[in-house]
Amino acid sequence: MDWQPDEQGLQQVLQLLKDSQSPNTATQRVVQDKLKQLNQFPDFNNYLIFVLTRLKSEDEPTRSLSGLILKNNVKAHFQSFPPPVAEFIKQECLNHLGDASSLIRATIGILITTIASKGELQMWPELLPQLCNLLNSEDYNTCEGAFGALQKICEDSSELLDSDALNRPLNVMIPKFLQFFKHCSPKIRSHAIACVNQFIMDRAQALMENIDTFIEHLFALAVDEDPEVRKNVCRALVMLLEVRIDRLIPHMYSIIQYMLQRTQDSDENVALEACEFWLTLAEQPICKDVLTAHLVQLIPILVHGMRYSEIDIILLKGDVEEDEAVPDSDQDIKPRFHKSRTVTLAHEEQRGGDGDGDGDDEDDDDALSDWNLRKCSAAALDVLANVFREELLPHLLPLLKELLFHLEWVVKESGILVLGAIAEGCMQGMVPYLPELIPHLIRCLADRKALVRSIACWTLSRYAHWVVAQPPELYLKPLMTELLQRILDSNKRVQEAACSAFATLEEEACTELVPYLSFILDTLVFAFGKYQHKNLLILYDAIGTLADSVGHHLNQPEYIQKLMPPLIQKWNELKDEDKDLFPLLECLSSVATALQSGFLPYCEPVYQRCVTLVQKTLAQAMMYNQHPEQYEAPDKDFMIVALDLLSGLAEGLGGHVEQLVARSNIMTLLFQCMQDTMPEVRQSSFALLGDLTKACFVHVKPCIAEFMPILGTNLNPEFISVCNNATWAIGEICMQMGAEMQPYVPMVLNNLVEIINRPNTPKTLLENTAITIGRLGFVCPQEVAPMLQQFIRPWCTSLRNIRDNEEKDSAFRGICVMIGVNPGGVVQDFIFFCDAVASWVSPKDDLRDMFYKILHGFKAQVGEENWQQFSEQFPPLLKDRLAAPGRGGRGGAGGRGGPSHRRCASS
C-alpha cells in the first residue's frame, strides 16, 4: 500500500513542526495542545513518517523533529496504532535508512529501535534479517544507516538477541559484524566493534564461540587512525579483561604496552577508555605479576594524567578566586539521599557502623561530576597503591619531589592530588616523609590559587588518621586552625572541600577536639551567614559529625548558646516540603543525642514538627494508594528523617521525652509506619520503638500486643537493617516487660535462632540477635532454655568480640540462667562458653559469681581428671584468664572503653 498525504493536512503538520521550534513558551503551549488533538487521528503518524522520510524539500531539523515526535507517540501508544499505520511506518523506516543526511539516518535508527523495544522484535521478524541484508549494500549511506540502527538495537535488547525467543539471531549477527572490522570506512568499523562490545559482559554464547577471531581482529585495529575505532578497541579490551582474561593472558605484555600508548592518546576520549584498563587490571589477581615490570612506564603516565587540562580549568572557573557571593544554581546541587538509622553495638575500632567508610572519597572534583581522565588516573593510582603498597614509592617519590614544590600551580596541584590518591595504599611507606610533607600541605592551604587550596583540604583529610595519632601541638592544632580559616574561604569550592575535610578530621579526632570546641563552633556558626545553598548542606553535615564525635562534651551552656540559634533559625525558615530539611534534621538528630538535657529548651517545636511530617506523609500515602490517578506518591524520605530525629530526641532526652509523647499520637503513627511497604520506613520505625521503650515504656506497654506480631514478621534477614532494628527493639522490650514477655516468646524465638545459625550473617545482626536471645532467656528462661543446644555455639562466638556494656551484661545473665535450667544444653559446646566468659574485662561481681558457679559445677560434674584433660585444650590466654579469679585484666576483646554506641547510619 502506498499512503499519500492530503496537501492541506501536510501544510498543517509542517506549520506545527515550525512552531514547535519557537523559543516562546506561549507558542509551545499551543503546540502541545495541538499535538494532543492531532493524536486523536491515527493517520497523523503517517504524516509524521512522511515528513521524516520523503519530504526532502524541508530542512533537516524539521524532518528530524517530525521523527522524534513520532518516536514519542510510538513509545506511548504503538500497540494501539491501526495495523496499516504501523506497517506503513515500519516499511518507510527500512526503505529510507540510507538517506543522504546522517541526522535523518540517525533519527530513523532511533525510531526503529523504539518500535523494536516495544516488544516488537518478536512481532517484526523481518527486521533483523533486512538490516543485516542492508549491510551488504554498495551504497555507504545505506550500510551506515543500517549499522546505526543495529547498534542501537544491540544496546537496547542485548539479552533478547541472545535468547531462544528469537532463535538466537546472534549466531548469524556476530560473524557478520566481525567481517566489517576490516571495512574501508572508519565509521562502519567503529559501528561493528560497538555492536560486538554490547555482548561481552553478558558472555553471549555466539561471541564466546568466536572469541579468538574477535581478539585477533581487535589486535589488527590497534593502530587504527580513527579515534572512535581506537576508543571502541580499548573499551573491548577492558571488558575482556573482566570476563575472558584467560584469552588475553598470552598477549598480556603487548596489550599492556598498547594501553600505555593509548593512555597518552591525543584524543582524550581514547585516553580515558584506555585508562579504565588500569582500574580493571588492579582488581585481577594477576595484576602484580603482569604489571610490576611496567610500573616504571605506567606511574609517570598516570601522574601526568592527573593534571587539570585547560578545558577543566575553564569549566571549573579555575581563574575565579572569589565567588562566595554568587548564588548557587539548581544544577549545582546534587540530590541527596538519607540513610536510615541502624542500631549497632560498640566496637573497638568501629567508625560509622559496617558501611564502607567514605565511599565518595575518590577525588574532590564533585562539581565536574563527569568522569574524566584526571579522575580516572587518580582512581587508578589509588587502586594500584592498594595492590603494590610500598613497592610503588620508588617510582613515585622522585616525581613527587618535583611536583609538590613546582612553581606552576597546575603542576603543584596535581602533585597534591597524587599524594592524596596514594594515602590509603602507601600509608606505611609514607610515614617517614609525613613530618616534612604535612606542614608543607598545611602551607598549601593558604595558596593564592583556589584549586590548590581545595585539593590540599582533600589530601590532608586522607592523612587525618596519622595527624591525630601525633602529639596535638605538632600537626593537629595547626591543621585545624588553617582548615577552619578555609571553611570561611571566599571561594565556594574551597569552602566545600574544607568542610568535608573537617568532617573527616572530626571523625578521626573525636574527643581530641574538646579543648578547641569554642573556636570550632565560632567558625561553623559564622559560616552559616556566609554560605550559599549547596555548601550549607555540607555545613550541616560537619556540625552533625562534630556532635557525634565529641558527644556530651557539647552540653555546655556557652556552646549551646552559640550553636542552637542559627540551627533553629534555619529550621523555622524551611517549609515542610523543602528537601533541605533532610540534612538539617540529620544534623539536629546528632546534636540532640549529644546535648541530651541541654536540648530541652528546643525540643518541643522540633518534636511537634517531626510528628507532623510523619502524619502528613502517611496521609499522602493513603490518598495515593486509594486514588493513584489523582494524587502523587509522597516522598517517604521526609517521614524516615523525621522518625530518625525522634529517635535522636528519645535517646538524648531520655525520660524527659515522656511528656512530649503523652501529648501526641506518635504511638498510633508508629503502628502504621511499622507496617509500611518501604523497608527504610520500617527500619527507622523499629529504631524509634526501641528508643521509646528505653525512654518512656509507660506509653509503649499498652501497644505491645499489637506491636509484637509485626516485630516477629520483620525478623527476616532478607532486609538486614530492618531485621537488625526489629531484633534490637525486641531485646529492649524484654528488659522492660520481664516475665510478662512470656506470651510473645513463640512469635520471635524460632526466627531468632534461625538467624543466629545462618551462614554469612553480618556481624552487627549476629551480635544484636545474640543479645536479644540472651535477654529473652533472662526474662523467660523456662521457654527459651530448652533450645539452648541449638544456639549456644554461635551465641558465644558472636558475643566474645564486644566490649563490656549493659547489653552484654544482660545477655550473659540470661545465658547463665538458661544453663541453670538446662545444663545439658551447653555440655557439648562448653569450651565456647568458657571462651566467651574469658572475653569479659571486668564483669560485675554478681555476674562473675554466676560464671564461677557454672564453671565449678561443670568441673565437679566431670571430675578433676576429666577437667584437667578438658582444660588442656584451652588456648593459653583462656587458661590464663580462667585460672585467675577476680583479676581485672584485659579480655580478648578489650577495647578503648567508653560509652556504647549502638547505632550508626549504615544500611
Side-chain angles (χ1 to χ4, degrees):
M1 123 182 180
D2 199 12
W3 175 88
Q4 286 301 326
D6 165 71
E7 192 51 42
Q8 196 184 348
L10 188 58
Q11 288 314 316
Q12 207 180 345
V13 171
L14 285 171
Q15 189 54 50
L16 180 73
L17 292 168
K18 291 273 187 293
D19 291 345
S20 67
Q21 293 171 61
S22 152
N24 182 332
T25 39
T27 316
Q28 284 296 338
R29 251 183 246 118
V30 175
V31 168
Q32 288 309 318
D33 293 342
K34 190 81 178 140
L35 271 176
K36 272 197 189 124
Q37 288 170 18
L38 288 171
N39 270 324
Q40 307 301 313
F41 302 102
D43 75 347
F44 171 50
N45 295 301
N46 284 355
Y47 282 92
L48 291 173
I49 189 80
F50 186 87
V51 174
L52 172 68
T53 57
R54 303 223 197 156
L55 215 56
K56 307 225 160 121
S57 53
E58 283 302 318
D59 60 52
E60 287 179 22
T62 303
R63 289 173 61 198
S64 174
L65 183 64
S66 181
L68 294 175
I69 292 174
L70 176 55
K71 178 205 77 164
N72 292 335
N73 287 351
V74 164
K75 228 176 177 159
H77 2 257
F78 190 71
Q79 271 75 13
S80 56
F81 281 16
V85 174
E87 268 318 301
F88 182 60
I89 293 170
K90 288 177 180 177
Q91 245 357 89
E92 285 296 293
C93 283
L94 286 172
N95 291 343
H96 294 87
L97 254 179
D99 194 279
S101 150
S102 60
L103 175 65
I104 301 302
R105 293 199 296 274
T107 310
I108 295 175
I110 291 170
L111 190 51
I112 289 177
T113 321
T114 310
I115 296 173
S117 64
K118 294 297 291 179
E120 290 289 316
L121 258 180
Q122 289 97 318
M123 308 295 292
W124 194 358
E126 68 276 18
L127 173 63
L128 292 172
Q130 285 207 16
L131 287 175
C132 287
N133 207 13
L134 291 171
L135 295 181
N136 300 331
S137 167
E138 294 294 308
D139 174 49
Y140 166 79
N141 290 340
T142 305
C143 176
E144 197 277 325
F147 243 133
L150 278 165
Q151 186 179 330
K152 293 184 184 80
I153 291 172
C154 292
E155 282 166 21
D156 288 355
S157 315
S158 62
E159 280 177 29
L160 189 57
L161 293 174
D162 191 30
S163 68
D164 291 326
L166 297 175
N167 292 330
R168 298 198 177 271
L170 278 196
N171 295 342
V172 178
M173 290 162 72
I174 296 269
K176 181 99 184 164
F177 295 152
L178 289 171
Q179 291 169 11
F180 284 88
F181 277 40
K182 299 193 164 94
H183 196 277
C184 59
S185 151
K187 187 94 193 271
I188 303 285
R189 294 197 295 275
S190 176
H191 276 313
I193 311 171
C195 284
V196 180
N197 282 357
Q198 292 302 325
F199 303 100
I200 299 177
M201 295 310 284
D202 293 336
R203 295 186 164 84
Q205 188 187 330
L207 177 55
M208 293 303 128
E209 285 166 7
N210 289 282
I211 195 81
D212 293 323
T213 318
F214 176 44
I215 291 172
E216 203 180 300
H217 282 35
L218 281 175
F219 289 165
L221 291 175
V223 288
D224 201 282
E225 75 281 0
D226 183 76
E228 198 59 29
V229 172
R230 295 199 302 273
K231 186 180 90 176
N232 282 330
V233 169
C234 290
R235 184 172 292 171
L237 289 170
V238 172
M239 290 191 284
L240 286 167
L241 194 55
E242 262 187 75
V243 299
R244 284 312 298 262
I245 194 165
D246 57 313
R247 284 294 192 264
L248 298 187
I249 286 174
H251 313 285
M252 201 45 99
Y253 180 85
S254 44
I255 292 175
I256 288 174
Q257 285 300 322
Y258 174 66
M259 286 299 188
L260 286 167
Q261 287 176 329
R262 290 288 74 81
T263 309
Q264 308 170 76
D265 200 284
S266 55
D267 182 295
E268 189 176 339
N269 293 324
V270 179
L272 177 57
E273 264 329 312
C275 194
E276 296 276 355
F277 181 82
W278 313 114
L279 266 176
T280 305
L281 184 57
E283 290 165 4
Q284 305 301 325
I286 62 157
C287 178
K288 227 170 166 168
D289 299 342
V290 299
L291 205 51
T292 303
H294 304 275
L295 288 178
V296 62
Q297 291 168 280
L298 174 60
I299 299 303
I301 292 172
L302 290 178
V303 167
H304 189 268
M306 288 162 75
R307 280 185 202 177
Y308 278 126
S309 66
E310 286 174 23
I311 197 99
D312 290 338
I313 296 169
I314 294 166
L315 288 171
L316 288 170
K317 307 187 176 64
D319 303 327
V320 180
E321 294 301 321
E322 296 193 14
D323 62 355
E324 62 175 347
V326 182
D328 293 340
S329 67
D330 284 348
Q331 63 262 39
D332 286 342
I333 298 146
K334 285 200 193 137
R336 346 178 17 273
F337 302 99
H338 170 73
K339 280 188 177 155
S340 321
R341 265 175 113 108
T342 305
V343 182
T344 60
L345 295 159
H347 288 294
E348 295 68 79
E349 292 301 329
Q350 188 170 26
R351 263 187 47 199
D354 36 45
D356 47 6
D358 299 346
D360 53 1
D361 207 35
E362 285 303 315
D363 187 354
D364 79 321
D365 279 3
D366 285 357
L368 251 194
S369 55
D370 304 325
W371 190 234
N372 57 19
L373 185 59
R374 167 187 163 92
K375 288 184 173 179
C376 190
S377 303
L381 189 60
D382 187 344
V383 289
L384 289 170
N386 277 297
V387 173
F388 286 94
R389 306 274 165 189
E390 284 61 57
E391 292 168 42
L392 222 52
L393 292 178
H395 303 289
L396 267 168
L397 291 171
L399 294 171
L400 270 172
K401 238 188 202 124
E402 205 179 301
L403 300 172
L404 285 170
F405 301 94
H406 204 283
L407 293 173
E408 273 185 66
W409 75 265
V410 177
V411 181
K412 178 160 87 172
E413 194 277 346
S414 72
I416 301 172
L417 172 59
V418 169
L419 201 53
I422 61 170
E424 195 186 339
C426 300
M427 183 57 93
Q428 283 321 102
M430 287 306 293
V431 165
Y433 307 100
L434 292 179
E436 185 193 344
L437 283 173
I438 297 295
H440 175 64
L441 287 171
I442 294 174
R443 287 193 295 277
C444 291
L445 285 174
D447 195 275
R448 58 185 185 82
K449 293 300 287 185
L451 289 172
V452 174
R453 299 197 297 276
S454 68
I455 198 67
C457 291
W458 178 74
T459 292
L460 279 160
S461 75
R462 303 267 288 179
Y463 290 95
H465 186 70
W466 181 84
V467 166
V468 169
Q470 312 309 310
E473 294 298 318
L474 281 180
Y475 310 106
L476 177 62
K477 206 173 166 186
L479 170 59
M480 193 176 58
T481 311
E482 196 57 51
L483 263 185
L484 288 169
Q485 291 189 351
R486 290 293 67 84
I487 284 177
L488 303 179
D489 201 277
S490 56
N491 179 279
K492 291 196 285 192
R493 188 182 180 74
V494 178
Q495 295 170 357
E496 176 186 358
C499 248
S500 298
F502 196 71
T504 306
L505 187 65
E506 289 169 340
E507 287 179 328
E508 290 289 352
C510 294
T511 50
E512 298 275 338
L513 298 177
V514 172
Y516 316 108
L517 265 174
S518 183
F519 182 34
I520 293 171
L521 287 170
D522 284 340
T523 307
L524 297 178
V525 167
F526 190 74
F528 260 109
K530 197 173 165 70
Y531 277 16
Q532 296 293 339
H533 185 180
K534 178 185 176 188
N535 287 349
L536 257 182
L537 309 187
I538 297 164
L539 181 62
Y540 294 142
D541 181 56
I543 292 172
T545 307
L546 180 68
D548 292 338
S549 302
V550 300
H552 65 91
H553 296 283
L554 202 55
N555 189 7
Q556 301 286 339
E558 124 184 61
Y559 300 154
I560 296 173
Q561 276 149 22
K562 288 181 194 232
L563 181 59
M564 288 310 297
L567 283 175
I568 293 298
Q569 187 192 338
K570 290 288 173 202
W571 170 260
N572 291 330
E573 284 169 14
L574 290 174
K575 305 252 184 310
D576 275 355
E577 39 287 330
D578 192 328
K579 285 203 163 102
D580 284 5
L581 270 178
F582 298 167
L584 179 54
L585 283 154
E586 284 168 23
C587 169
L588 279 170
S589 180
S590 295
V591 169
T593 309
L595 289 185
Q596 299 171 346
S597 59
F599 199 78
L600 272 175
Y602 307 95
C603 65
E604 180 121 17
V606 173
Y607 179 90
Q608 291 305 344
R609 184 167 194 179
C610 288
V611 172
T612 307
L613 282 168
V614 174
Q615 196 156 358
K616 273 189 175 176
T617 313
L618 285 170
Q620 269 180 284
M622 205 166 90
M623 310 272 270
Y624 171 73
N625 290 336
Q626 289 167 356
H627 307 286
E629 67 294 336
Q630 282 176 31
Y631 296 98
E632 272 187 36
D635 182 342
K636 288 188 181 172
D637 272 356
F638 285 105
M639 171 156 79
I640 296 166
V641 185
L643 290 166
D644 285 346
L645 177 43
L646 289 169
S647 279
L649 289 174
E651 190 182 356
L653 299 174
H656 295 296
V657 84
E658 190 274 326
Q659 61 235 38
L660 294 170
V661 174
R663 297 201 295 271
S664 70
N665 61 341
I666 188 66
M667 298 315 295
T668 316
L669 297 174
L670 197 51
F671 181 61
Q672 289 173 265
C673 292
M674 286 165 60
Q675 299 174 78
D676 199 274
T677 50
M678 189 174 173
E680 290 79 2
V681 176
R682 301 200 300 278
Q683 177 183 334
S684 293
S685 311
F686 297 140
L688 177 55
L689 175 61
D691 280 314
L692 291 175
T693 299
K694 290 175 82 168
C696 54
F697 189 62
V698 52
H699 296 295
V700 177
K701 194 172 181 184
C703 314
I704 290 297
E706 290 183 296
F707 284 5
M708 282 312 292
I710 301 173
L711 284 164
T713 51
N714 277 280
L715 296 177
N716 163 14
E718 186 191 344
F719 300 107
I720 295 289
S721 299
V722 179
C723 181
N724 182 65
N725 288 5
T727 304
W728 174 73
I730 292 166
E732 292 298 339
I733 290 168
C734 286
M735 297 315 287
Q736 301 285 348
M737 290 284 282
E740 291 178 62
M741 194 68 190
Q742 199 184 338
Y744 306 111
V745 175
M747 294 179 186
V748 298
L749 183 59
N750 285 335
N751 285 350
L752 290 168
V753 173
E754 196 178 314
I755 291 166
I756 204 168
N757 281 295
R758 278 179 79 226
N760 306 327
T761 304
K763 193 166 152 208
T764 305
L765 179 54
L766 278 179
E767 289 162 359
N768 271 322
T769 306
I771 282 179
T772 296
I773 290 175
R775 290 175 152 191
L776 210 52
F778 180 59
V779 297
C780 301
Q782 300 297 337
E783 286 70 22
V784 186
M787 293 185 77
L788 196 54
Q789 198 175 343
Q790 292 177 41
F791 61 75
I792 185 70
R793 183 185 287 198
W795 190 94
C796 292
T797 50
S798 52
L799 287 192
R800 66 182 304 286
N801 294 322
I802 66 165
R803 291 213 287 266
D804 298 7
N805 62 32
E806 287 301 319
E807 297 177 314
K808 184 172 176 176
D809 179 277
S810 55
F812 271 85
R813 286 171 194 274
I815 220 77
C816 292
V817 175
M818 287 188 275
I819 290 173
V821 173
N822 176 17
V826 73
V827 173
Q828 286 178 325
D829 296 305
F830 198 70
I831 190 166
F832 289 93
F833 175 71
C834 296
D835 177 55
V837 166
S839 79
W840 276 88
V841 180
S842 47
K844 291 180 183 158
D845 291 345
D846 60 334
L847 180 60
R848 183 186 304 257
D849 294 342
M850 292 168 96
F851 291 158
Y852 281 109
K853 200 173 152 193
I854 292 173
L855 292 171
H856 286 296
F858 188 81
K859 191 171 173 178
Q861 203 179 347
V862 297
E864 189 67 41
E865 197 180 328
N866 287 340
W867 174 259
Q868 279 311 113
Q869 281 182 328
F870 175 68
S871 58
E872 274 311 305
Q873 310 161 28
F874 289 179
L877 182 72
L878 180 54
K879 274 187 200 160
D880 189 34
R881 291 300 311 279
L882 294 177
R887 203 190 65 192
R890 270 182 56 125
R896 294 181 309 219
S900 148
H901 277 297
R902 311 173 298 20
R903 62 154 46 89
C904 65
S906 90
S907 36

